[in-house]
Amino acid sequence: MNTSSAVFIRSAPDLVSCPEGDQPEFAFAGRSNVGKSSLLNLLVGKRDLARVSATPGHTKQLNFFDINRRWRLVDMPGYGFAKVGRAEKTNFTEAISRYLVDRENLVCVFTLVDSSLPPQKIDLEFVEFLVNHEVPFVLVFTKTDKCSPTQVQNHIDQFKEAMRAWTANLPVIVTCSAYERTGRNALLKIIDEALEPEQKRPQAARAPAKRNTPW
């Protein structure tokens, strides 16, 4: 897939403010400072699609981009961003939860995880939420240039082992580095295949029960 055009549509603070659900959407989520903006810019071949900030948590709303007039990329706020008031953080979390669970045209959530770190509690909680609510997702381990391939694989294996507490159906896993410009083709292939009517879309991992938002 070539990303011939990428156009910003709007920012939405909640589900009601989202664009019409007339195009398939692929959301990108992750802990603040996981390298999401750099990866999105690499994905669409633009330097400034998503703002790369030295301050974690810059994105505070759902940002929608039209890609090739065929699908939408959704840049989600980094979870774990705490520099807001308690009431605002509650509304922020509720808005994200409702989008993930109730957005009918959401095809897949690409969940970004820092591969240079062992499994982080907040990442595991977010993934468990997706599993419990049967939201299709792909695990994307970023920053593979920050440590050795052996360390990357060890952290991935640890993450998969932690997930086995909630599900036996592990998701597709992609590794990438915006710095080394790797992983782009694998992500675009997943999106391209999901857009084809005859292809199976990413499947949601299943859990026996649903829980409230843990993050």
Side-chain angles (χ1 to χ4, degrees):
M1 176 196 294
N2 292 320
T3 51
S4 56
S5 67
V7 180
F8 174 72
I9 303 174
R10 74 172 69 164
S11 295
D14 50 40
L15 185 62
V16 176
S17 306
C18 292
E20 292 293 326
D22 55 353
Q23 283 190 322
E25 292 175 353
F26 297 82
F28 286 76
R31 182 172 53 85
S32 298
N33 207 29
V34 75
K36 177 161 57 66
S37 295
S38 297
L39 179 62
L40 295 184
N41 291 337
L42 172 66
L43 190 70
V44 301
K46 286 192 172 185
R47 293 183 178 182
D48 57 353
L49 179 85
R51 179 176 174 180
V52 179
S53 175
T55 304
H58 177 78
T59 302
K60 298 179 185 177
Q61 299 189 63
L62 296 161
N63 292 323
F64 293 81
F65 300 86
D66 181 281
I67 309 297
N68 296 349
R69 298 182 180 179
R70 188 182 180 198
W71 58 278
R72 292 191 190 124
L73 183 157
V74 184
D75 182 8
M76 300 187 68
Y79 52 78
F81 179 58
K83 293 183 179 180
V84 294
R86 181 172 297 178
E88 184 180 351
K89 187 174 182 180
T90 300
N91 293 336
F92 166 88
T93 303
E94 176 64 22
I96 298 304
S97 302
R98 288 196 60 197
Y99 173 80
L100 292 170
V101 175
D102 297 333
R103 186 68 166 171
E104 293 184 356
N105 57 317
L106 174 62
V107 176
C108 179
V109 179
F110 290 92
T111 304
L112 278 55
V113 178
D114 189 338
S115 70
S116 67
L117 300 174
Q120 302 293 294
K121 182 174 182 288
I122 195 167
D123 289 323
L124 292 169
E125 288 177 341
F126 182 78
V127 170
E128 186 177 8
F129 173 85
L130 298 178
V131 170
N132 288 337
H133 290 80
E134 299 183 4
V135 179
F137 69 98
V138 169
L139 279 178
V140 183
F141 284 86
T142 66
K143 301 185 179 182
T144 56
D145 57 286
K146 298 295 184 181
C147 59
S148 71
T150 299
Q151 287 177 307
V152 169
Q153 190 58 55
N154 284 341
H155 294 157
I156 292 174
D157 290 342
Q158 291 171 24
F159 204 99
K160 289 162 61 178
E161 184 61 32
M163 284 188 63
R164 289 191 174 94
W166 338 304
T167 180
N169 182 20
L170 297 178
V172 172
I173 292 176
V174 176
T175 57
C176 66
S177 165
Y179 178 76
E180 295 180 337
R181 305 183 66 81
T182 59
R184 180 178 185 270
N185 290 341
L187 295 174
L188 289 176
K189 182 180 179 181
I190 291 171
I191 293 171
D192 198 33
E193 290 180 349
L195 291 173
E196 296 298 328
E198 68 275 12
Q199 296 289 338
K200 291 180 65 177
R201 291 185 172 187
Q203 296 297 304
R206 295 183 180 275
K210 295 184 179 181
R211 303 181 185 178
N212 294 327
T213 306
W215 38 273

